[in-house]
PDB file of all heavy atoms in Angstrom:
ATOM      1  N   GLY A 211      -4.417   9.028  -0.267  1.00  0.00           N
ATOM      2  CA  GLY A 211      -3.845   9.530  -1.545  1.00  0.00           C
ATOM      3  C   GLY A 211      -4.828   9.259  -2.715  1.00  0.00           C
ATOM      4  O   GLY A 211      -6.030   8.987  -2.515  1.00  0.00           O
ATOM      5  N   ARG A 212      -4.296   9.490  -3.923  1.00  0.00           N
ATOM      6  CA  ARG A 212      -5.197   9.334  -5.184  1.00  0.00           C
ATOM      7  C   ARG A 212      -4.322   9.098  -6.365  1.00  0.00           C
ATOM      8  O   ARG A 212      -3.175   9.347  -6.343  1.00  0.00           O
ATOM      9  CB  ARG A 212      -5.959  10.671  -5.297  1.00  0.00           C
ATOM     10  CG  ARG A 212      -5.145  11.859  -5.674  1.00  0.00           C
ATOM     11  CD  ARG A 212      -6.024  13.134  -5.670  1.00  0.00           C
ATOM     12  NE  ARG A 212      -5.154  14.368  -5.725  1.00  0.00           N
ATOM     13  CZ  ARG A 212      -4.679  14.808  -6.899  1.00  0.00           C
ATOM     14  NH1 ARG A 212      -5.047  14.351  -8.093  1.00  0.00           N
ATOM     15  NH2 ARG A 212      -4.012  15.869  -6.903  1.00  0.00           N
ATOM     16  N   PHE A 213      -4.973   8.470  -7.204  1.00  0.00           N
ATOM     17  CA  PHE A 213      -4.477   8.295  -8.754  1.00  0.00           C
ATOM     18  C   PHE A 213      -5.470   8.974  -9.640  1.00  0.00           C
ATOM     19  O   PHE A 213      -6.733   9.001  -9.383  1.00  0.00           O
ATOM     20  CB  PHE A 213      -4.408   6.882  -9.028  1.00  0.00           C
ATOM     21  CG  PHE A 213      -3.090   6.142  -8.618  1.00  0.00           C
ATOM     22  CD1 PHE A 213      -3.151   4.905  -7.950  1.00  0.00           C
ATOM     23  CD2 PHE A 213      -1.900   6.756  -8.606  1.00  0.00           C
ATOM     24  CE1 PHE A 213      -2.075   4.274  -7.507  1.00  0.00           C
ATOM     25  CE2 PHE A 213      -0.751   6.090  -8.203  1.00  0.00           C
ATOM     26  CZ  PHE A 213      -0.795   4.879  -7.662  1.00  0.00           C
ATOM     27  N   THR A 214      -4.982   9.651 -10.591  1.00  0.00           N
ATOM     28  CA  THR A 214      -5.782  10.229 -11.726  1.00  0.00           C
ATOM     29  C   THR A 214      -5.951   9.276 -12.886  1.00  0.00           C
ATOM     30  O   THR A 214      -5.337   8.177 -12.908  1.00  0.00           O
ATOM     31  CB  THR A 214      -5.183  11.516 -12.185  1.00  0.00           C
ATOM     32  OG1 THR A 214      -3.937  11.147 -12.807  1.00  0.00           O
ATOM     33  CG2 THR A 214      -4.843  12.514 -11.098  1.00  0.00           C
ATOM     34  N   ALA A 215      -6.869   9.641 -13.743  1.00  0.00           N
ATOM     35  CA  ALA A 215      -7.016   8.737 -14.996  1.00  0.00           C
ATOM     36  C   ALA A 215      -5.755   8.775 -15.700  1.00  0.00           C
ATOM     37  O   ALA A 215      -5.298   7.622 -16.334  1.00  0.00           O
ATOM     38  CB  ALA A 215      -8.158   9.427 -15.788  1.00  0.00           C
ATOM     39  N   ALA A 216      -4.949   9.751 -15.757  1.00  0.00           N
ATOM     40  CA  ALA A 216      -3.653   9.817 -16.373  1.00  0.00           C
ATOM     41  C   ALA A 216      -2.760   8.840 -15.881  1.00  0.00           C
ATOM     42  O   ALA A 216      -2.001   8.077 -16.580  1.00  0.00           O
ATOM     43  CB  ALA A 216      -3.031  11.130 -16.364  1.00  0.00           C
ATOM     44  N   ASP A 217      -2.729   8.639 -14.545  1.00  0.00           N
ATOM     45  CA  ASP A 217      -1.867   7.651 -13.765  1.00  0.00           C
ATOM     46  C   ASP A 217      -2.272   6.187 -14.316  1.00  0.00           C
ATOM     47  O   ASP A 217      -1.481   5.386 -14.588  1.00  0.00           O
ATOM     48  CB  ASP A 217      -2.066   7.777 -12.329  1.00  0.00           C
ATOM     49  CG  ASP A 217      -1.436   8.940 -11.736  1.00  0.00           C
ATOM     50  OD1 ASP A 217      -0.479   9.385 -12.146  1.00  0.00           O
ATOM     51  OD2 ASP A 217      -2.055   9.561 -10.778  1.00  0.00           O
ATOM     52  N   ILE A 218      -3.549   6.017 -14.325  1.00  0.00           N
ATOM     53  CA  ILE A 218      -4.059   4.684 -14.693  1.00  0.00           C
ATOM     54  C   ILE A 218      -3.896   4.378 -16.206  1.00  0.00           C
ATOM     55  O   ILE A 218      -3.442   3.239 -16.507  1.00  0.00           O
ATOM     56  CB  ILE A 218      -5.569   4.595 -14.246  1.00  0.00           C
ATOM     57  CG1 ILE A 218      -5.685   4.661 -12.818  1.00  0.00           C
ATOM     58  CG2 ILE A 218      -6.234   3.203 -14.723  1.00  0.00           C
ATOM     59  CD1 ILE A 218      -7.187   5.039 -12.299  1.00  0.00           C
ATOM     60  N   ASN A 219      -4.050   5.451 -17.084  1.00  0.00           N
ATOM     61  CA  ASN A 219      -3.681   5.079 -18.376  1.00  0.00           C
ATOM     62  C   ASN A 219      -2.271   4.931 -18.726  1.00  0.00           C
ATOM     63  O   ASN A 219      -1.925   4.116 -19.542  1.00  0.00           O
ATOM     64  CB  ASN A 219      -4.283   6.300 -19.183  1.00  0.00           C
ATOM     65  CG  ASN A 219      -5.796   6.444 -19.241  1.00  0.00           C
ATOM     66  OD1 ASN A 219      -6.451   5.380 -19.135  1.00  0.00           O
ATOM     67  ND2 ASN A 219      -6.190   7.645 -19.582  1.00  0.00           N
ATOM     68  N   TYR A 220      -1.496   5.564 -17.922  1.00  0.00           N
ATOM     69  CA  TYR A 220       0.008   5.368 -18.099  1.00  0.00           C
ATOM     70  C   TYR A 220       0.293   3.869 -17.687  1.00  0.00           C
ATOM     71  O   TYR A 220       1.007   3.114 -18.534  1.00  0.00           O
ATOM     72  CB  TYR A 220       0.864   6.267 -17.215  1.00  0.00           C
ATOM     73  CG  TYR A 220       2.275   5.644 -17.013  1.00  0.00           C
ATOM     74  CD1 TYR A 220       3.262   5.820 -17.965  1.00  0.00           C
ATOM     75  CD2 TYR A 220       2.634   4.885 -15.821  1.00  0.00           C
ATOM     76  CE1 TYR A 220       4.472   5.237 -17.762  1.00  0.00           C
ATOM     77  CE2 TYR A 220       3.808   4.260 -15.705  1.00  0.00           C
ATOM     78  CZ  TYR A 220       4.664   4.521 -16.667  1.00  0.00           C
ATOM     79  OH  TYR A 220       6.076   3.921 -16.561  1.00  0.00           O
ATOM     80  N   THR A 221      -0.336   3.308 -16.695  1.00  0.00           N
ATOM     81  CA  THR A 221      -0.080   2.085 -16.165  1.00  0.00           C
ATOM     82  C   THR A 221      -0.710   0.949 -17.148  1.00  0.00           C
ATOM     83  O   THR A 221       0.020  -0.047 -17.570  1.00  0.00           O
ATOM     84  CB  THR A 221      -0.677   1.758 -14.834  1.00  0.00           C
ATOM     85  OG1 THR A 221      -0.226   2.749 -13.877  1.00  0.00           O
ATOM     86  CG2 THR A 221      -0.361   0.329 -14.314  1.00  0.00           C
ATOM     87  N   SER A 222      -1.836   1.202 -17.761  1.00  0.00           N
ATOM     88  CA  SER A 222      -2.345   0.354 -18.692  1.00  0.00           C
ATOM     89  C   SER A 222      -1.554   0.291 -20.030  1.00  0.00           C
ATOM     90  O   SER A 222      -1.387  -0.769 -20.533  1.00  0.00           O
ATOM     91  CB  SER A 222      -3.818   0.826 -19.103  1.00  0.00           C
ATOM     92  OG  SER A 222      -4.826   0.569 -18.009  1.00  0.00           O
ATOM     93  N   ASN A 223      -1.182   1.419 -20.452  1.00  0.00           N
ATOM     94  CA  ASN A 223      -0.278   1.413 -21.588  1.00  0.00           C
ATOM     95  C   ASN A 223       1.059   0.771 -21.414  1.00  0.00           C
ATOM     96  O   ASN A 223       1.566   0.132 -22.310  1.00  0.00           O
ATOM     97  CB  ASN A 223      -0.088   2.917 -22.122  1.00  0.00           C
ATOM     98  CG  ASN A 223      -1.304   3.402 -22.924  1.00  0.00           C
ATOM     99  OD1 ASN A 223      -1.662   2.964 -23.921  1.00  0.00           O
ATOM    100  ND2 ASN A 223      -1.991   4.356 -22.271  1.00  0.00           N
ATOM    101  N   TYR A 224       1.656   0.906 -20.192  1.00  0.00           N
ATOM    102  CA  TYR A 224       2.809   0.251 -19.933  1.00  0.00           C
ATOM    103  C   TYR A 224       2.765  -1.218 -20.038  1.00  0.00           C
ATOM    104  O   TYR A 224       3.552  -2.016 -20.555  1.00  0.00           O
ATOM    105  CB  TYR A 224       3.311   0.710 -18.513  1.00  0.00           C
ATOM    106  CG  TYR A 224       4.602   0.069 -18.030  1.00  0.00           C
ATOM    107  CD1 TYR A 224       5.848   0.532 -18.471  1.00  0.00           C
ATOM    108  CD2 TYR A 224       4.478  -1.202 -17.232  1.00  0.00           C
ATOM    109  CE1 TYR A 224       6.971  -0.068 -18.007  1.00  0.00           C
ATOM    110  CE2 TYR A 224       5.801  -1.772 -16.848  1.00  0.00           C
ATOM    111  CZ  TYR A 224       6.947  -1.223 -17.202  1.00  0.00           C
ATOM    112  OH  TYR A 224       8.069  -1.843 -16.734  1.00  0.00           O
ATOM    113  N   LEU A 225       1.577  -1.863 -19.296  1.00  0.00           N
ATOM    114  CA  LEU A 225       1.333  -3.249 -19.400  1.00  0.00           C
ATOM    115  C   LEU A 225       0.956  -3.634 -20.707  1.00  0.00           C
ATOM    116  O   LEU A 225       1.412  -4.714 -21.125  1.00  0.00           O
ATOM    117  CB  LEU A 225       0.198  -3.521 -18.415  1.00  0.00           C
ATOM    118  CG  LEU A 225       0.412  -3.344 -16.955  1.00  0.00           C
ATOM    119  CD1 LEU A 225      -0.882  -3.544 -16.109  1.00  0.00           C
ATOM    120  CD2 LEU A 225       1.516  -4.242 -16.393  1.00  0.00           C
ATOM    121  N   ALA A 226       0.225  -2.873 -21.514  1.00  0.00           N
ATOM    122  CA  ALA A 226      -0.226  -3.328 -22.821  1.00  0.00           C
ATOM    123  C   ALA A 226       1.015  -3.420 -23.754  1.00  0.00           C
ATOM    124  O   ALA A 226       1.133  -4.426 -24.552  1.00  0.00           O
ATOM    125  CB  ALA A 226      -1.157  -2.235 -23.388  1.00  0.00           C
ATOM    126  N   LYS A 227       2.017  -2.645 -23.506  1.00  0.00           N
ATOM    127  CA  LYS A 227       3.238  -2.773 -24.406  1.00  0.00           C
ATOM    128  C   LYS A 227       3.914  -3.989 -24.078  1.00  0.00           C
ATOM    129  O   LYS A 227       4.453  -4.747 -24.922  1.00  0.00           O
ATOM    130  CB  LYS A 227       4.171  -1.512 -24.159  1.00  0.00           C
ATOM    131  CG  LYS A 227       5.410  -1.469 -25.023  1.00  0.00           C
ATOM    132  CD  LYS A 227       6.173  -0.246 -24.893  1.00  0.00           C
ATOM    133  CE  LYS A 227       7.263  -0.138 -25.947  1.00  0.00           C
ATOM    134  NZ  LYS A 227       8.168  -1.316 -25.959  1.00  0.00           N
ATOM    135  N   LEU A 228       4.030  -4.399 -22.681  1.00  0.00           N
ATOM    136  CA  LEU A 228       4.689  -5.714 -22.371  1.00  0.00           C
ATOM    137  C   LEU A 228       3.893  -6.853 -22.931  1.00  0.00           C
ATOM    138  O   LEU A 228       4.536  -7.786 -23.413  1.00  0.00           O
ATOM    139  CB  LEU A 228       4.653  -5.792 -20.805  1.00  0.00           C
ATOM    140  CG  LEU A 228       5.615  -4.766 -20.077  1.00  0.00           C
ATOM    141  CD1 LEU A 228       5.494  -5.046 -18.570  1.00  0.00           C
ATOM    142  CD2 LEU A 228       7.031  -4.902 -20.520  1.00  0.00           C
ATOM    143  N   VAL A 229       2.575  -6.776 -22.913  1.00  0.00           N
ATOM    144  CA  VAL A 229       1.805  -7.835 -23.407  1.00  0.00           C
ATOM    145  C   VAL A 229       2.067  -8.030 -24.953  1.00  0.00           C
ATOM    146  O   VAL A 229       2.298  -9.142 -25.451  1.00  0.00           O
ATOM    147  CB  VAL A 229       0.315  -7.581 -23.114  1.00  0.00           C
ATOM    148  CG1 VAL A 229      -0.525  -8.596 -24.105  1.00  0.00           C
ATOM    149  CG2 VAL A 229       0.011  -7.636 -21.743  1.00  0.00           C
ATOM    150  N   LYS A 230       2.033  -6.869 -25.679  1.00  0.00           N
ATOM    151  CA  LYS A 230       2.253  -6.960 -27.265  1.00  0.00           C
ATOM    152  C   LYS A 230       3.684  -7.302 -27.524  1.00  0.00           C
ATOM    153  O   LYS A 230       3.996  -8.183 -28.413  1.00  0.00           O
ATOM    154  CB  LYS A 230       1.835  -5.600 -27.824  1.00  0.00           C
ATOM    155  CG  LYS A 230       0.529  -5.388 -27.827  1.00  0.00           C
ATOM    156  CD  LYS A 230       0.079  -4.062 -28.548  1.00  0.00           C
ATOM    157  CE  LYS A 230       0.272  -2.845 -27.572  1.00  0.00           C
ATOM    158  NZ  LYS A 230      -0.182  -1.659 -28.155  1.00  0.00           N
ATOM    159  N   ASP A 231       4.690  -6.836 -26.880  1.00  0.00           N
ATOM    160  CA  ASP A 231       6.100  -7.063 -27.082  1.00  0.00           C
ATOM    161  C   ASP A 231       6.495  -8.446 -26.813  1.00  0.00           C
ATOM    162  O   ASP A 231       7.475  -9.011 -27.428  1.00  0.00           O
ATOM    163  CB  ASP A 231       7.049  -6.092 -26.376  1.00  0.00           C
ATOM    164  CG  ASP A 231       6.968  -4.610 -26.925  1.00  0.00           C
ATOM    165  OD1 ASP A 231       6.322  -4.599 -27.963  1.00  0.00           O
ATOM    166  OD2 ASP A 231       7.523  -3.859 -26.343  1.00  0.00           O
ATOM    167  N   ASN A 232       5.928  -9.075 -25.812  1.00  0.00           N
ATOM    168  CA  ASN A 232       6.272 -10.408 -25.356  1.00  0.00           C
ATOM    169  C   ASN A 232       5.204 -11.492 -25.618  1.00  0.00           C
ATOM    170  O   ASN A 232       5.315 -12.672 -25.114  1.00  0.00           O
ATOM    171  CB  ASN A 232       6.476 -10.328 -23.764  1.00  0.00           C
ATOM    172  CG  ASN A 232       7.715  -9.435 -23.523  1.00  0.00           C
ATOM    173  OD1 ASN A 232       8.888  -9.772 -23.640  1.00  0.00           O
ATOM    174  ND2 ASN A 232       7.429  -8.211 -23.116  1.00  0.00           N
ATOM    175  N   ASP A 233       4.160 -11.111 -26.377  1.00  0.00           N
ATOM    176  CA  ASP A 233       3.140 -12.036 -26.797  1.00  0.00           C
ATOM    177  C   ASP A 233       2.470 -12.758 -25.552  1.00  0.00           C
ATOM    178  O   ASP A 233       2.501 -14.007 -25.469  1.00  0.00           O
ATOM    179  CB  ASP A 233       3.677 -13.074 -27.784  1.00  0.00           C
ATOM    180  CG  ASP A 233       2.484 -13.931 -28.419  1.00  0.00           C
ATOM    181  OD1 ASP A 233       1.367 -13.334 -28.533  1.00  0.00           O
ATOM    182  OD2 ASP A 233       2.671 -14.994 -28.924  1.00  0.00           O
ATOM    183  N   LEU A 234       1.996 -11.907 -24.628  1.00  0.00           N
ATOM    184  CA  LEU A 234       1.532 -12.483 -23.354  1.00  0.00           C
ATOM    185  C   LEU A 234      -0.058 -12.401 -23.334  1.00  0.00           C
ATOM    186  O   LEU A 234      -0.542 -11.604 -24.112  1.00  0.00           O
ATOM    187  CB  LEU A 234       2.050 -11.602 -22.170  1.00  0.00           C
ATOM    188  CG  LEU A 234       3.528 -11.523 -21.990  1.00  0.00           C
ATOM    189  CD1 LEU A 234       3.811 -10.416 -20.916  1.00  0.00           C
ATOM    190  CD2 LEU A 234       4.099 -12.774 -21.565  1.00  0.00           C
ATOM    191  N   PRO A 235      -0.711 -13.087 -22.504  1.00  0.00           N
ATOM    192  CA  PRO A 235      -2.191 -13.002 -22.248  1.00  0.00           C
ATOM    193  C   PRO A 235      -2.345 -11.659 -21.561  1.00  0.00           C
ATOM    194  O   PRO A 235      -1.486 -11.005 -21.062  1.00  0.00           O
ATOM    195  CB  PRO A 235      -2.455 -14.136 -21.503  1.00  0.00           C
ATOM    196  CG  PRO A 235      -1.252 -14.536 -20.759  1.00  0.00           C
ATOM    197  CD  PRO A 235      -0.084 -14.203 -21.650  1.00  0.00           C
ATOM    198  N   PRO A 236      -3.583 -11.130 -21.692  1.00  0.00           N
ATOM    199  CA  PRO A 236      -3.887  -9.792 -21.025  1.00  0.00           C
ATOM    200  C   PRO A 236      -3.423  -9.778 -19.574  1.00  0.00           C
ATOM    201  O   PRO A 236      -3.561 -10.792 -18.845  1.00  0.00           O
ATOM    202  CB  PRO A 236      -5.400  -9.667 -21.138  1.00  0.00           C
ATOM    203  CG  PRO A 236      -5.779 -10.508 -22.421  1.00  0.00           C
ATOM    204  CD  PRO A 236      -4.759 -11.743 -22.279  1.00  0.00           C
ATOM    205  N   LYS A 237      -3.110  -8.665 -19.112  1.00  0.00           N
ATOM    206  CA  LYS A 237      -2.808  -8.496 -17.697  1.00  0.00           C
ATOM    207  C   LYS A 237      -3.990  -7.861 -16.931  1.00  0.00           C
ATOM    208  O   LYS A 237      -4.893  -7.187 -17.437  1.00  0.00           O
ATOM    209  CB  LYS A 237      -1.662  -7.398 -17.600  1.00  0.00           C
ATOM    210  CG  LYS A 237      -0.298  -7.786 -18.070  1.00  0.00           C
ATOM    211  CD  LYS A 237       0.305  -8.915 -17.356  1.00  0.00           C
ATOM    212  CE  LYS A 237       1.735  -9.311 -17.849  1.00  0.00           C
ATOM    213  NZ  LYS A 237       2.187 -10.415 -17.074  1.00  0.00           N
ATOM    214  N   VAL A 238      -4.162  -8.393 -15.728  1.00  0.00           N
ATOM    215  CA  VAL A 238      -5.218  -7.792 -14.895  1.00  0.00           C
ATOM    216  C   VAL A 238      -4.556  -6.623 -14.033  1.00  0.00           C
ATOM    217  O   VAL A 238      -3.465  -6.827 -13.464  1.00  0.00           O
ATOM    218  CB  VAL A 238      -5.664  -8.837 -13.906  1.00  0.00           C
ATOM    219  CG1 VAL A 238      -6.648  -8.274 -12.857  1.00  0.00           C
ATOM    220  CG2 VAL A 238      -6.391 -10.031 -14.682  1.00  0.00           C
ATOM    221  N   LEU A 239      -5.173  -5.569 -14.123  1.00  0.00           N
ATOM    222  CA  LEU A 239      -4.772  -4.434 -13.333  1.00  0.00           C
ATOM    223  C   LEU A 239      -5.753  -4.009 -12.221  1.00  0.00           C
ATOM    224  O   LEU A 239      -7.066  -3.727 -12.471  1.00  0.00           O
ATOM    225  CB  LEU A 239      -4.574  -3.085 -14.168  1.00  0.00           C
ATOM    226  CG  LEU A 239      -4.247  -1.855 -13.661  1.00  0.00           C
ATOM    227  CD1 LEU A 239      -3.003  -1.963 -12.797  1.00  0.00           C
ATOM    228  CD2 LEU A 239      -4.183  -0.668 -14.508  1.00  0.00           C
ATOM    229  N   VAL A 240      -5.430  -4.252 -10.957  1.00  0.00           N
ATOM    230  CA  VAL A 240      -6.352  -3.968  -9.805  1.00  0.00           C
ATOM    231  C   VAL A 240      -6.086  -2.623  -9.268  1.00  0.00           C
ATOM    232  O   VAL A 240      -4.949  -2.247  -8.892  1.00  0.00           O
ATOM    233  CB  VAL A 240      -6.087  -5.001  -8.656  1.00  0.00           C
ATOM    234  CG1 VAL A 240      -7.056  -4.781  -7.570  1.00  0.00           C
ATOM    235  CG2 VAL A 240      -6.255  -6.453  -9.262  1.00  0.00           C
ATOM    236  N   LEU A 241      -7.252  -1.846  -9.168  1.00  0.00           N
ATOM    237  CA  LEU A 241      -7.164  -0.534  -8.492  1.00  0.00           C
ATOM    238  C   LEU A 241      -7.923  -0.506  -7.213  1.00  0.00           C
ATOM    239  O   LEU A 241      -9.120  -0.935  -7.192  1.00  0.00           O
ATOM    240  CB  LEU A 241      -7.818   0.467  -9.391  1.00  0.00           C
ATOM    241  CG  LEU A 241      -7.330   0.556 -10.967  1.00  0.00           C
ATOM    242  CD1 LEU A 241      -8.192   1.384 -11.801  1.00  0.00           C
ATOM    243  CD2 LEU A 241      -5.847   0.871 -10.946  1.00  0.00           C
ATOM    244  N   HIS A 242      -7.325  -0.151  -6.084  1.00  0.00           N
ATOM    245  CA  HIS A 242      -7.947  -0.258  -4.831  1.00  0.00           C
ATOM    246  C   HIS A 242      -8.752   1.112  -4.613  1.00  0.00           C
ATOM    247  O   HIS A 242      -8.185   2.187  -4.965  1.00  0.00           O
ATOM    248  CB  HIS A 242      -6.947  -0.503  -3.691  1.00  0.00           C
ATOM    249  CG  HIS A 242      -6.220  -1.776  -3.865  1.00  0.00           C
ATOM    250  ND1 HIS A 242      -6.757  -3.020  -3.601  1.00  0.00           N
ATOM    251  CD2 HIS A 242      -4.831  -2.009  -4.280  1.00  0.00           C
ATOM    252  CE1 HIS A 242      -5.838  -3.881  -3.921  1.00  0.00           C
ATOM    253  NE2 HIS A 242      -4.706  -3.301  -4.259  1.00  0.00           N
ATOM    254  N   ARG A 243      -9.927   0.913  -3.952  1.00  0.00           N
ATOM    255  CA  ARG A 243     -10.691   2.159  -3.783  1.00  0.00           C
ATOM    256  C   ARG A 243     -11.729   2.032  -2.704  1.00  0.00           C
ATOM    257  O   ARG A 243     -12.393   1.035  -2.655  1.00  0.00           O
ATOM    258  CB  ARG A 243     -11.426   2.517  -5.120  1.00  0.00           C
ATOM    259  CG  ARG A 243     -12.081   3.851  -5.090  1.00  0.00           C
ATOM    260  CD  ARG A 243     -12.747   4.131  -6.434  1.00  0.00           C
ATOM    261  NE  ARG A 243     -13.077   5.645  -6.595  1.00  0.00           N
ATOM    262  CZ  ARG A 243     -13.861   6.044  -7.567  1.00  0.00           C
ATOM    263  NH1 ARG A 243     -14.297   5.396  -8.491  1.00  0.00           N
ATOM    264  NH2 ARG A 243     -14.230   7.375  -7.533  1.00  0.00           N
ATOM    265  N   PHE A 244     -11.841   3.033  -1.771  1.00  0.00           N
ATOM    266  CA  PHE A 244     -12.945   3.071  -0.953  1.00  0.00           C
ATOM    267  C   PHE A 244     -13.556   4.429  -0.641  1.00  0.00           C
ATOM    268  O   PHE A 244     -14.352   4.679   0.221  1.00  0.00           O
ATOM    269  CB  PHE A 244     -12.565   2.369   0.413  1.00  0.00           C
ATOM    270  CG  PHE A 244     -11.281   3.004   1.134  1.00  0.00           C
ATOM    271  CD1 PHE A 244     -11.417   4.144   1.987  1.00  0.00           C
ATOM    272  CD2 PHE A 244     -10.082   2.452   0.887  1.00  0.00           C
ATOM    273  CE1 PHE A 244     -10.318   4.592   2.619  1.00  0.00           C
ATOM    274  CE2 PHE A 244      -8.883   3.015   1.481  1.00  0.00           C
ATOM    275  CZ  PHE A 244      -9.026   4.121   2.368  1.00  0.00           C
ATOM    276  N   THR A 245     -12.893   5.448  -1.413  1.00  0.00           N
ATOM    277  CA  THR A 245     -13.480   6.861  -1.454  1.00  0.00           C
ATOM    278  C   THR A 245     -13.543   7.381  -2.871  1.00  0.00           C
ATOM    279  O   THR A 245     -12.762   6.790  -3.726  1.00  0.00           O
ATOM    280  CB  THR A 245     -12.693   7.780  -0.621  1.00  0.00           C
ATOM    281  OG1 THR A 245     -11.410   8.058  -1.192  1.00  0.00           O
ATOM    282  CG2 THR A 245     -12.377   7.274   0.812  1.00  0.00           C
ATOM    283  N   LYS A 246     -14.364   8.224  -3.093  1.00  0.00           N
ATOM    284  CA  LYS A 246     -14.507   8.831  -4.477  1.00  0.00           C
ATOM    285  C   LYS A 246     -13.131   9.474  -4.824  1.00  0.00           C
ATOM    286  O   LYS A 246     -12.741   9.345  -6.018  1.00  0.00           O
ATOM    287  CB  LYS A 246     -15.624   9.869  -4.635  1.00  0.00           C
ATOM    288  CG  LYS A 246     -17.029   9.032  -4.744  1.00  0.00           C
ATOM    289  CD  LYS A 246     -18.125  10.102  -5.173  1.00  0.00           C
ATOM    290  CE  LYS A 246     -19.480   9.380  -5.317  1.00  0.00           C
ATOM    291  NZ  LYS A 246     -19.421   8.490  -6.512  1.00  0.00           N
ATOM    292  N   GLY A 247     -12.598  10.152  -3.856  1.00  0.00           N
ATOM    293  CA  GLY A 247     -11.453  11.052  -4.194  1.00  0.00           C
ATOM    294  C   GLY A 247     -10.116  10.127  -4.503  1.00  0.00           C
ATOM    295  O   GLY A 247      -9.168  10.715  -5.043  1.00  0.00           O
ATOM    296  N   MET A 248     -10.073   8.848  -4.331  1.00  0.00           N
ATOM    297  CA  MET A 248      -9.051   8.003  -4.487  1.00  0.00           C
ATOM    298  C   MET A 248      -8.708   7.788  -5.967  1.00  0.00           C
ATOM    299  O   MET A 248      -7.548   7.540  -6.379  1.00  0.00           O
ATOM    300  CB  MET A 248      -9.184   6.616  -3.850  1.00  0.00           C
ATOM    301  CG  MET A 248      -9.089   6.735  -2.275  1.00  0.00           C
ATOM    302  SD  MET A 248      -9.454   5.072  -1.488  1.00  0.00           S
ATOM    303  CE  MET A 248      -8.041   4.146  -1.873  1.00  0.00           C
ATOM    304  N   ILE A 249      -9.805   7.826  -6.836  1.00  0.00           N
ATOM    305  CA  ILE A 249      -9.695   7.654  -8.309  1.00  0.00           C
ATOM    306  C   ILE A 249     -10.442   8.951  -8.870  1.00  0.00           C
ATOM    307  O   ILE A 249     -11.687   9.164  -8.595  1.00  0.00           O
ATOM    308  CB  ILE A 249     -10.248   6.429  -8.825  1.00  0.00           C
ATOM    309  CG1 ILE A 249      -9.666   5.181  -8.130  1.00  0.00           C
ATOM    310  CG2 ILE A 249     -10.218   6.358 -10.364  1.00  0.00           C
ATOM    311  CD1 ILE A 249      -8.298   4.907  -8.611  1.00  0.00           C
ATOM    312  N   THR A 250      -9.697   9.684  -9.719  1.00  0.00           N
ATOM    313  CA  THR A 250     -10.373  10.949 -10.186  1.00  0.00           C
ATOM    314  C   THR A 250     -10.290  10.735 -11.722  1.00  0.00           C
ATOM    315  O   THR A 250      -9.510  10.140 -12.311  1.00  0.00           O
ATOM    316  CB  THR A 250      -9.728  12.140  -9.846  1.00  0.00           C
ATOM    317  OG1 THR A 250      -8.244  12.151 -10.330  1.00  0.00           O
ATOM    318  CG2 THR A 250      -9.631  12.389  -8.367  1.00  0.00           C
ATOM    319  N   GLY A 251     -11.445  11.317 -12.396  1.00  0.00           N
ATOM    320  CA  GLY A 251     -11.563  11.280 -13.800  1.00  0.00           C
ATOM    321  C   GLY A 251     -11.844   9.872 -14.460  1.00  0.00           C
ATOM    322  O   GLY A 251     -11.372   9.575 -15.554  1.00  0.00           O
ATOM    323  N   TYR A 252     -12.665   9.129 -13.720  1.00  0.00           N
ATOM    324  CA  TYR A 252     -12.907   7.759 -14.254  1.00  0.00           C
ATOM    325  C   TYR A 252     -13.314   7.639 -15.644  1.00  0.00           C
ATOM    326  O   TYR A 252     -13.023   6.639 -16.353  1.00  0.00           O
ATOM    327  CB  TYR A 252     -13.792   6.992 -13.307  1.00  0.00           C
ATOM    328  CG  TYR A 252     -15.309   7.231 -13.547  1.00  0.00           C
ATOM    329  CD1 TYR A 252     -16.044   6.400 -14.284  1.00  0.00           C
ATOM    330  CD2 TYR A 252     -15.925   8.357 -13.010  1.00  0.00           C
ATOM    331  CE1 TYR A 252     -17.441   6.626 -14.592  1.00  0.00           C
ATOM    332  CE2 TYR A 252     -17.278   8.690 -13.300  1.00  0.00           C
ATOM    333  CZ  TYR A 252     -17.977   7.662 -14.037  1.00  0.00           C
ATOM    334  OH  TYR A 252     -19.295   7.982 -14.341  1.00  0.00           O
TER     335      TYR A 252
END
């Protein structure tokens, strides 16, 4: 399968809102990858 930059940006923005709304330290977001096609539009 694959994720696009839009998928990743959605996830980052979702986490960023939780961090800001709840005064949390930054979240780590891990993206798994072993082919070029798994992540598009880096």
Side-chain angles (χ1 to χ4, degrees):
R212 63 186 170 90
F213 279 135
T214 65
D217 293 320
I218 296 164
N219 288 338
Y220 162 78
T221 304
S222 289
N223 281 293
Y224 178 85
L225 292 175
K227 187 175 188 304
L228 291 182
V229 168
K230 287 183 282 190
D231 289 351
N232 297 278
D233 194 22
L234 301 172
K237 294 293 183 183
V238 175
L239 172 60
V240 179
L241 311 174
H242 302 288
R243 190 180 194 187
F244 56 88
T245 70
K246 282 192 178 292
M248 290 172 72
I249 302 287
T250 61
Y252 82 96

